[in-house]
């Protein structure tokens, strides 16, 4: 009889910002970044270096900060990705508010990655020291040198947080 196997392309299911996606991938090594930008259509996550060195492409994978340029899409099967677009429903995450108050971005290119790194970090460590903030953010590069404003905004976000 006829071969019924059809396409051999593997299907990968995963969530992005709490919506489920199912994609056919002919190359499971394709970086997650391209899937987010080209397939899911969310362009807030940026391509900087492509080799895991700058942090511009940072997203959350099951709550942890990862570099989507260096993560094969096969690695996210069954898992949950969050991008900058999903960080809050209305742009009012404490970090986003602090970023606005502190007028942090210059060109803006690195900022989604900065925010995603900071957000994952504060989840893990809700009351960090200055040194811990510096260390946590040290892998996210900014060609515009907004580092001092980023640092101050993270501290502002800590104090802005509603007390519990
Ligand atoms: Fe991913 Fe630079 S683009 S780390
Ligand atoms: Fe321009 Fe960071 S604001 S690279």
């Amino acid at each position: 009889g006829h071969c019924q196997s059809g396409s051999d392309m593997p299907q990968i299911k995963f969530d992005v910002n709490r919506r489920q996606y199912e994609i056919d991938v002919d190359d499971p090594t394709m970086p997650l970044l391209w899937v987010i930008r080209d397939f899911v259509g969310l362009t807030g996550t940026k391509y900087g270096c492509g080799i895991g060195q700058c942090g511009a492409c940072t997203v959350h994978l099951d709550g942890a900060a990862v570099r989507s340029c260096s993560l094969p899409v096969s690695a996210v099967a069954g898992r949950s990705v969050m991008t900058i677009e999903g960080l809050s429903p209305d742009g009012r995450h404490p970090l986003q508010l602090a970023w606005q108050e502190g007028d942090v971005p210059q060109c803006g290119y690195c900022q989604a990655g900065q925010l995603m790194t900071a957000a994952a970090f504060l989840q893990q460590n809700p009351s960090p020291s200055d040194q811990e903030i510096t260390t946590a953010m040290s892998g996210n590069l900014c060609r515009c040198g907004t580092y001092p404003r980023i640092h101050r905004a993270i501290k502002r976000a800590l104090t802005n947080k509603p007390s519990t």
Side-chain angles (χ1 to χ4, degrees):
H2 294 285
C3 172
Q4 298 289 334
S5 66
S7 163
D8 285 334
M9 281 199 289
Q11 277 205 333
I12 298 181
K13 281 191 205 176
F14 55 97
D15 283 7
V16 179
N17 301 338
R18 299 172 202 86
R19 267 185 66 182
Q20 193 169 79
Y21 292 85
E22 193 168 334
I23 62 167
D24 293 322
V25 284
D26 48 9
D27 177 7
T29 68
M30 175 188 272
L32 175 63
L33 176 60
W34 302 127
V35 173
I36 290 170
R37 292 182 58 88
D38 297 342
F39 180 83
V40 180
L42 296 174
T43 55
T45 307
K46 302 302 186 200
Y47 174 85
C49 66
I51 53 170
Q53 301 291 306
C54 75
C57 65
T58 302
V59 298
H60 295 181
L61 181 61
D62 293 336
V66 295
R67 304 204 155 179
S68 62
C69 73
S70 305
L71 196 71
V73 65
S74 58
V76 308
R79 302 177 73 182
S80 296
V81 175
M82 189 193 287
T83 69
I84 185 69
E85 290 89 348
L87 189 59
S88 84
D90 55 2
R92 296 180 63 79
H93 184 285
L95 283 167
Q96 289 171 313
L97 294 179
W99 246 242
Q100 281 167 22
E101 286 170 35
D103 201 10
V104 172
Q106 189 165 323
C107 81
Y109 202 80
C110 71
Q111 297 291 331
Q114 304 279 2
L115 279 161
M116 295 309 280
T117 297
F121 167 61
L122 292 187
Q123 285 286 352
Q124 282 179 343
N125 186 348
S127 49
S129 67
D130 280 324
Q131 186 54 53
E132 287 170 333
I133 293 171
T134 300
T135 301
M137 299 306 295
S138 64
N140 280 72
L141 306 185
C142 174
R143 275 178 297 186
C144 303
T146 64
Y147 303 111
R149 292 205 294 271
I150 289 170
H151 193 100
R152 281 196 297 273
I154 291 171
K155 296 194 65 157
R156 186 177 290 117
L158 297 174
T159 54
N160 278 356
K161 256 202 235 154
S163 50
T164 47

